[in-house]
Amino acid sequence: MNGQNSIDICLSPALYSYYAGRQDVCVVVVDVFRATTCMCAGLHAGVAGIVPVAGVAEAERMKAAGRIVAAERNVAKCGFADLGNSPFDYMQAWLRGQEVVMTTTNGTQAIALAREAGRLVAGAFVNLSRVVAFCEACGTDVQVLCAGWNNRVNVEDTLFAGALAGRLLQSGRFAATSDAVRMALSLWEAGKADLKTFLQGTEHLQRLLAHGLERDVDYCLTLDAAPALPVYDKPSGTLRAFQG
């Protein structure tokens, strides 16, 4: 590829075993609705760190140990939790300087799968430009891992993957050969003019609207609204804002 790095996209966590295992790669985990958006919003608002955990039982144990816990399953906040999975939950002043333990239906599961990657960051529309800049500076191949919904492909995460891939390819530093990238780019070109309208009728958007969460939807689809970059620190298992 003439010295270029590659960009590839894993459309579902169920497929990640076919991509995993490389240390010389930057993995961008995306869960637009809403986990990675919450991570960006929280770190941008002053949360010190986010500790993603895959299971509810682990989150409950950490809550019992006195930790601040955000927990969601199937859109709803878990009864034992301090916070749910709305980005606005993470903007509260009392959370500044605090660490938040987080478990969600899809996003934290995807992070658990990819946590051994050479680099792992959380991406969303709200921090798209920061993700682009980080990937360009890394000098490594990039893999986007779409969290999807219960291991199924969804449109919103694929749209983000297409947006990221498009910008990286435009830089001239990246090349792509996979069908997944071509599919995501086509989806982004079709929907980029009006993301919300394009997503009307999609499964998760309808799920959120049915729970009265249109405000969350609008925020999640706002480009660069929370330009923090959550970077995973392996020793502590914590996402912190990149300071570069």
Side-chain angles (χ1 to χ4, degrees):
M1 292 186 293
N2 300 319
Q4 294 169 307
N5 294 116
S6 69
I7 169 72
D8 206 351
I9 298 168
C10 178
L11 295 171
S12 161
L15 299 172
Y16 188 66
S17 61
Y18 299 101
Y19 296 78
R22 292 179 52 189
Q23 289 298 304
D24 58 334
V25 68
C26 176
V27 174
V28 180
V29 175
V30 54
D31 184 358
V32 169
F33 293 146
R34 295 166 286 165
T36 56
T37 300
C38 288
M39 294 167 184
C40 299
L43 294 179
H44 182 61
V47 170
I50 294 172
V51 182
V53 299
V56 170
E58 185 177 359
E60 286 187 291
R61 286 194 297 271
M62 296 181 86
K63 171 65 178 172
R67 303 291 295 273
I68 300 168
V69 172
E72 169 266 349
R73 284 298 182 274
N74 299 316
V75 179
K77 173 185 170 185
C78 297
F80 67 89
D82 302 291
L83 312 173
N85 196 27
S86 168
F88 298 104
D89 289 354
Y90 288 77
M91 299 178 192
Q92 300 176 78
W94 68 275
L95 291 173
R96 292 174 188 158
Q98 303 294 317
E99 285 192 352
V100 177
V101 175
M102 181 186 200
T103 186
T104 68
T105 306
N106 303 293
T108 57
Q109 321 296 314
I111 288 173
L113 281 178
R115 62 189 173 193
E116 295 304 322
R119 292 183 178 91
L120 189 157
V121 302
F125 286 117
V126 296
N127 75 336
L128 176 60
S129 295
R130 287 297 303 276
V131 176
V132 171
F134 185 83
C135 291
E136 289 178 344
C138 273
T140 65
D141 293 345
V142 172
Q143 295 172 352
V144 184
L145 173 55
C146 299
W149 175 264
N150 289 328
N151 282 321
R152 291 177 289 183
V153 174
N154 68 22
V155 177
E156 63 272 12
D157 294 346
T158 309
L159 273 174
F160 170 86
L164 176 59
R167 290 207 191 177
L168 293 180
L169 293 171
Q170 286 172 5
S171 74
R173 304 178 191 177
F174 289 82
T177 57
S178 78
D179 287 353
V181 174
R182 293 188 66 182
M183 291 163 59
L185 286 170
S186 295
L187 201 66
W188 173 244
E189 286 302 314
K192 65 182 182 181
D194 188 340
L195 294 177
K196 189 176 180 183
T197 297
F198 186 74
L199 288 165
Q200 289 298 320
T202 57
E203 291 180 54
H204 203 20
L205 181 66
Q206 292 303 307
R207 200 177 287 118
L208 293 171
L209 294 179
H211 284 77
L213 296 169
E214 186 167 8
R215 183 177 178 227
D216 282 14
V217 169
D218 291 340
Y219 183 84
C220 291
L221 298 178
T222 304
L223 295 180
D224 296 323
L229 182 70
V231 177
Y232 187 73
D233 176 65
K234 289 183 190 179
S236 65
T238 304
L239 290 152
R240 296 192 176 93
F242 180 61
Q243 298 301 317

Short mmCIF file of all heavy atoms in Angstrom, two decimals, residues 159-208:
data_model
loop_
_atom_site.label_atom_id
_atom_site.label_comp_id
_atom_site.label_asym_id
_atom_site.label_seq_id
_atom_site.Cartn_x
_atom_site.Cartn_y
_atom_site.Cartn_z
N LEU A 159 -22.36 4.07 10.20
CA LEU A 159 -22.24 5.45 9.69
C LEU A 159 -20.99 6.13 10.25
O LEU A 159 -20.24 6.78 9.50
CB LEU A 159 -23.47 6.26 10.09
CG LEU A 159 -24.69 6.24 9.19
CD1 LEU A 159 -25.83 6.99 9.86
CD2 LEU A 159 -24.38 6.87 7.83
N PHE A 160 -20.79 6.02 11.55
CA PHE A 160 -19.58 6.62 12.15
C PHE A 160 -18.34 6.02 11.53
O PHE A 160 -17.38 6.73 11.20
CB PHE A 160 -19.55 6.42 13.66
CG PHE A 160 -18.23 6.81 14.27
CD1 PHE A 160 -17.98 8.12 14.63
CD2 PHE A 160 -17.22 5.87 14.43
CE1 PHE A 160 -16.74 8.49 15.15
CE2 PHE A 160 -15.98 6.23 14.95
CZ PHE A 160 -15.75 7.54 15.31
N ALA A 161 -18.32 4.70 11.37
CA ALA A 161 -17.15 4.04 10.78
C ALA A 161 -16.88 4.58 9.38
O ALA A 161 -15.73 4.80 9.00
CB ALA A 161 -17.37 2.53 10.74
N GLY A 162 -17.94 4.82 8.61
CA GLY A 162 -17.78 5.39 7.28
C GLY A 162 -17.25 6.81 7.32
O GLY A 162 -16.40 7.20 6.51
N ALA A 163 -17.73 7.60 8.28
CA ALA A 163 -17.25 8.98 8.43
C ALA A 163 -15.76 9.01 8.77
O ALA A 163 -14.98 9.79 8.19
CB ALA A 163 -18.05 9.70 9.51
N LEU A 164 -15.36 8.15 9.70
CA LEU A 164 -13.95 8.09 10.10
C LEU A 164 -13.09 7.60 8.94
O LEU A 164 -12.04 8.18 8.63
CB LEU A 164 -13.79 7.19 11.32
CG LEU A 164 -12.36 6.93 11.79
CD1 LEU A 164 -11.66 8.24 12.16
CD2 LEU A 164 -12.36 5.97 12.98
N ALA A 165 -13.53 6.53 8.30
CA ALA A 165 -12.76 5.98 7.19
C ALA A 165 -12.61 7.01 6.07
O ALA A 165 -11.52 7.17 5.49
CB ALA A 165 -13.43 4.71 6.65
N GLY A 166 -13.68 7.73 5.80
CA GLY A 166 -13.63 8.74 4.74
C GLY A 166 -12.59 9.80 5.01
O GLY A 166 -11.80 10.17 4.12
N ARG A 167 -12.55 10.28 6.23
CA ARG A 167 -11.58 11.33 6.57
C ARG A 167 -10.15 10.80 6.53
O ARG A 167 -9.23 11.48 6.08
CB ARG A 167 -11.89 11.91 7.94
CG ARG A 167 -13.17 12.74 7.96
CD ARG A 167 -13.11 13.78 9.05
NE ARG A 167 -14.39 14.41 9.28
CZ ARG A 167 -14.61 15.31 10.22
NH1 ARG A 167 -13.63 15.68 11.02
NH2 ARG A 167 -15.81 15.85 10.37
N LEU A 168 -9.94 9.57 7.01
CA LEU A 168 -8.60 9.00 7.01
C LEU A 168 -8.12 8.75 5.58
O LEU A 168 -6.95 9.00 5.25
CB LEU A 168 -8.56 7.73 7.83
CG LEU A 168 -8.78 7.89 9.34
CD1 LEU A 168 -8.72 6.54 10.04
CD2 LEU A 168 -7.76 8.85 9.95
N LEU A 169 -8.99 8.28 4.74
CA LEU A 169 -8.62 8.06 3.34
C LEU A 169 -8.30 9.37 2.63
O LEU A 169 -7.38 9.44 1.82
CB LEU A 169 -9.73 7.31 2.62
CG LEU A 169 -9.97 5.86 3.08
CD1 LEU A 169 -11.23 5.29 2.45
CD2 LEU A 169 -8.76 4.98 2.75
N GLN A 170 -9.04 10.42 2.96
CA GLN A 170 -8.80 11.73 2.35
C GLN A 170 -7.43 12.29 2.73
O GLN A 170 -6.84 13.08 1.97
CB GLN A 170 -9.89 12.72 2.76
CG GLN A 170 -11.23 12.48 2.08
CD GLN A 170 -12.34 13.35 2.65
OE1 GLN A 170 -12.09 14.20 3.51
NE2 GLN A 170 -13.55 13.15 2.18
N SER A 171 -6.92 11.88 3.89
CA SER A 171 -5.61 12.37 4.33
C SER A 171 -4.48 11.85 3.46
O SER A 171 -3.38 12.42 3.47
CB SER A 171 -5.36 11.96 5.78
OG SER A 171 -5.04 10.57 5.87
N GLY A 172 -4.73 10.77 2.73
CA GLY A 172 -3.69 10.17 1.91
C GLY A 172 -2.74 9.26 2.66
O GLY A 172 -1.86 8.64 2.07
N ARG A 173 -2.93 9.15 3.99
CA ARG A 173 -2.05 8.32 4.80
C ARG A 173 -2.58 6.90 4.99
O ARG A 173 -1.89 6.06 5.55
CB ARG A 173 -1.84 8.96 6.17
CG ARG A 173 -1.31 10.38 6.13
CD ARG A 173 -1.18 10.94 7.53
NE ARG A 173 -0.93 12.37 7.50
CZ ARG A 173 -0.84 13.12 8.60
NH1 ARG A 173 -0.95 12.57 9.80
NH2 ARG A 173 -0.62 14.42 8.50
N PHE A 174 -3.80 6.68 4.55
CA PHE A 174 -4.45 5.38 4.77
C PHE A 174 -4.99 4.83 3.46
O PHE A 174 -5.33 5.58 2.54
CB PHE A 174 -5.60 5.52 5.77
CG PHE A 174 -5.16 5.78 7.18
CD1 PHE A 174 -4.83 7.07 7.59
CD2 PHE A 174 -5.05 4.74 8.09
CE1 PHE A 174 -4.39 7.31 8.87
CE2 PHE A 174 -4.61 4.98 9.38
CZ PHE A 174 -4.29 6.26 9.78
N ALA A 175 -5.07 3.50 3.43
CA ALA A 175 -5.68 2.81 2.30
C ALA A 175 -6.64 1.76 2.85
O ALA A 175 -6.50 1.30 3.98
CB ALA A 175 -4.61 2.16 1.42
N ALA A 176 -7.62 1.41 2.03
CA ALA A 176 -8.61 0.42 2.44
C ALA A 176 -8.89 -0.52 1.28
O ALA A 176 -9.00 -0.08 0.13
CB ALA A 176 -9.90 1.11 2.88
N THR A 177 -9.01 -1.80 1.61
CA THR A 177 -9.32 -2.78 0.57
C THR A 177 -10.54 -3.62 0.91
O THR A 177 -11.03 -4.35 0.07
CB THR A 177 -8.12 -3.73 0.35
OG1 THR A 177 -7.78 -4.37 1.59
CG2 THR A 177 -6.92 -2.95 -0.17
N SER A 178 -11.04 -3.53 2.15
CA SER A 178 -12.11 -4.44 2.57
C SER A 178 -13.48 -3.97 2.11
O SER A 178 -13.74 -2.77 1.96
CB SER A 178 -12.11 -4.60 4.10
OG SER A 178 -12.71 -3.48 4.72
N ASP A 179 -14.37 -4.94 1.92
CA ASP A 179 -15.76 -4.63 1.56
C ASP A 179 -16.45 -3.86 2.67
O ASP A 179 -17.33 -3.02 2.40
CB ASP A 179 -16.53 -5.91 1.25
CG ASP A 179 -16.13 -6.53 -0.08
OD1 ASP A 179 -15.36 -5.90 -0.82
OD2 ASP A 179 -16.58 -7.65 -0.37
N ALA A 180 -16.09 -4.13 3.93
CA ALA A 180 -16.73 -3.45 5.06
C ALA A 180 -16.52 -1.94 4.96
O ALA A 180 -17.43 -1.15 5.24
CB ALA A 180 -16.21 -3.99 6.39
N VAL A 181 -15.31 -1.53 4.59
CA VAL A 181 -15.04 -0.10 4.44
C VAL A 181 -15.85 0.49 3.29
O VAL A 181 -16.44 1.57 3.42
CB VAL A 181 -13.53 0.16 4.24
CG1 VAL A 181 -13.27 1.63 3.95
CG2 VAL A 181 -12.74 -0.27 5.47
N ARG A 182 -15.91 -0.22 2.19
CA ARG A 182 -16.69 0.28 1.05
C ARG A 182 -18.17 0.43 1.42
O ARG A 182 -18.83 1.41 1.06
CB ARG A 182 -16.55 -0.67 -0.14
CG ARG A 182 -15.15 -0.71 -0.73
CD ARG A 182 -15.11 -1.51 -2.02
NE ARG A 182 -15.89 -0.85 -3.07
CZ ARG A 182 -16.06 -1.35 -4.28
NH1 ARG A 182 -15.52 -2.53 -4.59
NH2 ARG A 182 -16.77 -0.70 -5.18
N MET A 183 -18.70 -0.54 2.16
CA MET A 183 -20.09 -0.47 2.59
C MET A 183 -20.33 0.72 3.50
O MET A 183 -21.30 1.47 3.34
CB MET A 183 -20.48 -1.77 3.31
CG MET A 183 -20.54 -2.99 2.41
SD MET A 183 -20.51 -4.54 3.35
CE MET A 183 -21.95 -4.33 4.40
N ALA A 184 -19.42 0.92 4.47
CA ALA A 184 -19.58 2.01 5.44
C ALA A 184 -19.45 3.37 4.75
O ALA A 184 -20.19 4.32 5.07
CB ALA A 184 -18.56 1.88 6.56
N LEU A 185 -18.53 3.48 3.81
CA LEU A 185 -18.38 4.74 3.07
C LEU A 185 -19.64 5.07 2.27
O LEU A 185 -20.08 6.22 2.23
CB LEU A 185 -17.18 4.64 2.12
CG LEU A 185 -15.79 4.72 2.75
CD1 LEU A 185 -14.72 4.36 1.71
CD2 LEU A 185 -15.52 6.09 3.35
N SER A 186 -20.23 4.05 1.64
CA SER A 186 -21.46 4.27 0.88
C SER A 186 -22.59 4.73 1.78
O SER A 186 -23.36 5.63 1.42
CB SER A 186 -21.86 2.99 0.14
OG SER A 186 -20.89 2.63 -0.82
N LEU A 187 -22.67 4.13 2.97
CA LEU A 187 -23.71 4.51 3.92
C LEU A 187 -23.51 5.95 4.37
O LEU A 187 -24.48 6.73 4.45
CB LEU A 187 -23.69 3.55 5.11
CG LEU A 187 -24.96 3.45 5.94
CD1 LEU A 187 -26.10 2.85 5.13
CD2 LEU A 187 -24.71 2.60 7.19
N TRP A 188 -22.27 6.32 4.68
CA TRP A 188 -21.97 7.69 5.11
C TRP A 188 -22.31 8.70 4.02
O TRP A 188 -22.90 9.75 4.29
CB TRP A 188 -20.50 7.79 5.51
CG TRP A 188 -20.04 9.18 5.82
CD1 TRP A 188 -19.10 9.90 5.15
CD2 TRP A 188 -20.51 10.04 6.87
NE1 TRP A 188 -18.95 11.14 5.72
CE2 TRP A 188 -19.80 11.26 6.78
CE3 TRP A 188 -21.45 9.89 7.88
CZ2 TRP A 188 -20.01 12.32 7.65
CZ3 TRP A 188 -21.66 10.96 8.76
CH2 TRP A 188 -20.95 12.15 8.63
N GLU A 189 -21.94 8.42 2.80
CA GLU A 189 -22.26 9.33 1.70
C GLU A 189 -23.76 9.51 1.55
O GLU A 189 -24.25 10.61 1.26
CB GLU A 189 -21.65 8.81 0.39
CG GLU A 189 -20.15 8.98 0.29
CD GLU A 189 -19.72 10.43 0.43
OE1 GLU A 189 -20.34 11.30 -0.22
OE2 GLU A 189 -18.76 10.70 1.19
N ALA A 190 -24.52 8.44 1.79
CA ALA A 190 -25.97 8.52 1.67
C ALA A 190 -26.61 9.29 2.81
O ALA A 190 -27.64 9.95 2.62
CB ALA A 190 -26.57 7.11 1.60
N GLY A 191 -26.01 9.25 4.00
CA GLY A 191 -26.68 9.80 5.17
C GLY A 191 -26.09 11.05 5.77
O GLY A 191 -26.71 11.68 6.64
N LYS A 192 -24.90 11.48 5.33
CA LYS A 192 -24.18 12.53 6.05
C LYS A 192 -24.88 13.89 6.03
O LYS A 192 -24.67 14.69 6.94
CB LYS A 192 -22.77 12.67 5.49
CG LYS A 192 -22.70 13.16 4.05
CD LYS A 192 -21.25 13.22 3.59
CE LYS A 192 -21.12 13.75 2.18
NZ LYS A 192 -19.70 13.78 1.73
N ALA A 193 -25.71 14.15 5.06
CA ALA A 193 -26.36 15.46 4.99
C ALA A 193 -27.35 15.69 6.12
O ALA A 193 -27.55 16.82 6.57
CB ALA A 193 -27.06 15.63 3.64
N ASP A 194 -27.96 14.62 6.61
CA ASP A 194 -28.96 14.73 7.68
C ASP A 194 -29.04 13.39 8.38
O ASP A 194 -29.83 12.52 8.03
CB ASP A 194 -30.32 15.11 7.10
CG ASP A 194 -31.36 15.44 8.18
OD1 ASP A 194 -31.17 15.02 9.34
OD2 ASP A 194 -32.36 16.10 7.85
N LEU A 195 -28.21 13.22 9.38
CA LEU A 195 -28.08 11.92 10.04
C LEU A 195 -29.39 11.47 10.68
O LEU A 195 -29.77 10.30 10.57
CB LEU A 195 -26.97 11.97 11.10
CG LEU A 195 -25.55 12.19 10.59
CD1 LEU A 195 -24.58 12.28 11.76
CD2 LEU A 195 -25.14 11.08 9.64
N LYS A 196 -30.05 12.37 11.36
CA LYS A 196 -31.26 11.97 12.08
C LYS A 196 -32.35 11.51 11.11
O LYS A 196 -33.02 10.49 11.35
CB LYS A 196 -31.77 13.11 12.96
CG LYS A 196 -32.92 12.69 13.89
CD LYS A 196 -33.28 13.86 14.80
CE LYS A 196 -34.41 13.48 15.75
NZ LYS A 196 -34.81 14.64 16.60
N THR A 197 -32.54 12.25 10.05
CA THR A 197 -33.54 11.85 9.06
C THR A 197 -33.16 10.52 8.43
O THR A 197 -34.01 9.63 8.23
CB THR A 197 -33.68 12.92 7.96
OG1 THR A 197 -34.14 14.13 8.58
CG2 THR A 197 -34.65 12.49 6.88
N PHE A 198 -31.88 10.34 8.12
CA PHE A 198 -31.42 9.09 7.52
C PHE A 198 -31.66 7.90 8.44
O PHE A 198 -31.95 6.79 7.98
CB PHE A 198 -29.94 9.21 7.18
CG PHE A 198 -29.40 8.04 6.41
CD1 PHE A 198 -29.71 7.86 5.07
CD2 PHE A 198 -28.59 7.10 7.03
CE1 PHE A 198 -29.21 6.78 4.35
CE2 PHE A 198 -28.08 6.02 6.33
CZ PHE A 198 -28.40 5.86 4.99
N LEU A 199 -31.56 8.13 9.75
CA LEU A 199 -31.69 7.05 10.72
C LEU A 199 -33.15 6.76 11.11
O LEU A 199 -33.41 5.82 11.85
CB LEU A 199 -30.88 7.37 11.98
CG LEU A 199 -29.37 7.26 11.82
CD1 LEU A 199 -28.66 7.94 13.00
CD2 LEU A 199 -28.93 5.81 11.71
N GLN A 200 -34.08 7.57 10.64
CA GLN A 200 -35.48 7.33 10.98
C GLN A 200 -35.87 5.92 10.55
O GLN A 200 -35.58 5.48 9.45
CB GLN A 200 -36.38 8.34 10.26
CG GLN A 200 -36.27 9.76 10.79
CD GLN A 200 -36.68 9.89 12.25
OE1 GLN A 200 -37.64 9.27 12.68
NE2 GLN A 200 -35.94 10.71 12.98
N GLY A 201 -36.52 5.22 11.46
CA GLY A 201 -36.93 3.85 11.18
C GLY A 201 -35.93 2.79 11.59
O GLY A 201 -36.26 1.60 11.60
N THR A 202 -34.70 3.20 11.93
CA THR A 202 -33.72 2.21 12.37
C THR A 202 -34.07 1.72 13.78
O THR A 202 -34.71 2.40 14.56
CB THR A 202 -32.30 2.79 12.37
OG1 THR A 202 -32.26 3.97 13.19
CG2 THR A 202 -31.86 3.14 10.96
N GLU A 203 -33.63 0.51 14.08
CA GLU A 203 -34.06 -0.17 15.30
C GLU A 203 -33.77 0.63 16.56
O GLU A 203 -34.66 0.85 17.39
CB GLU A 203 -33.37 -1.53 15.40
CG GLU A 203 -33.80 -2.56 14.39
CD GLU A 203 -33.05 -3.85 14.59
OE1 GLU A 203 -33.07 -4.40 15.71
OE2 GLU A 203 -32.43 -4.32 13.62
N HIS A 204 -32.51 1.03 16.72
CA HIS A 204 -32.15 1.62 18.01
C HIS A 204 -32.67 3.04 18.15
O HIS A 204 -33.03 3.47 19.24
CB HIS A 204 -30.64 1.57 18.22
CG HIS A 204 -30.24 1.63 19.66
ND1 HIS A 204 -31.11 1.31 20.69
CD2 HIS A 204 -29.08 1.96 20.27
CE1 HIS A 204 -30.49 1.46 21.85
NE2 HIS A 204 -29.25 1.86 21.62
N LEU A 205 -32.74 3.77 17.05
CA LEU A 205 -33.34 5.10 17.14
C LEU A 205 -34.79 4.99 17.60
O LEU A 205 -35.22 5.74 18.48
CB LEU A 205 -33.27 5.81 15.79
CG LEU A 205 -33.86 7.22 15.77
CD1 LEU A 205 -33.05 8.17 16.64
CD2 LEU A 205 -33.93 7.77 14.36
N GLN A 206 -35.53 4.07 17.04
CA GLN A 206 -36.92 3.89 17.45
C GLN A 206 -37.02 3.44 18.91
O GLN A 206 -37.92 3.87 19.64
CB GLN A 206 -37.60 2.87 16.53
CG GLN A 206 -37.79 3.37 15.11
CD GLN A 206 -38.58 4.66 15.06
OE1 GLN A 206 -39.67 4.77 15.62
NE2 GLN A 206 -38.02 5.67 14.39
N ARG A 207 -36.08 2.64 19.32
CA ARG A 207 -36.05 2.17 20.71
C ARG A 207 -35.86 3.36 21.66
O ARG A 207 -36.53 3.46 22.70
CB ARG A 207 -34.92 1.16 20.86
CG ARG A 207 -35.00 0.24 22.05
CD ARG A 207 -33.85 -0.76 22.02
NE ARG A 207 -34.03 -1.78 20.99
CZ ARG A 207 -33.22 -1.97 19.95
NH1 ARG A 207 -32.15 -1.21 19.79
NH2 ARG A 207 -33.47 -2.93 19.08
N LEU A 208 -34.94 4.24 21.32
CA LEU A 208 -34.67 5.40 22.16
C LEU A 208 -35.85 6.37 22.16
O LEU A 208 -36.24 6.90 23.21
CB LEU A 208 -33.40 6.10 21.69
CG LEU A 208 -32.10 5.33 21.87
CD1 LEU A 208 -30.96 6.04 21.17
CD2 LEU A 208 -31.77 5.14 23.35
#
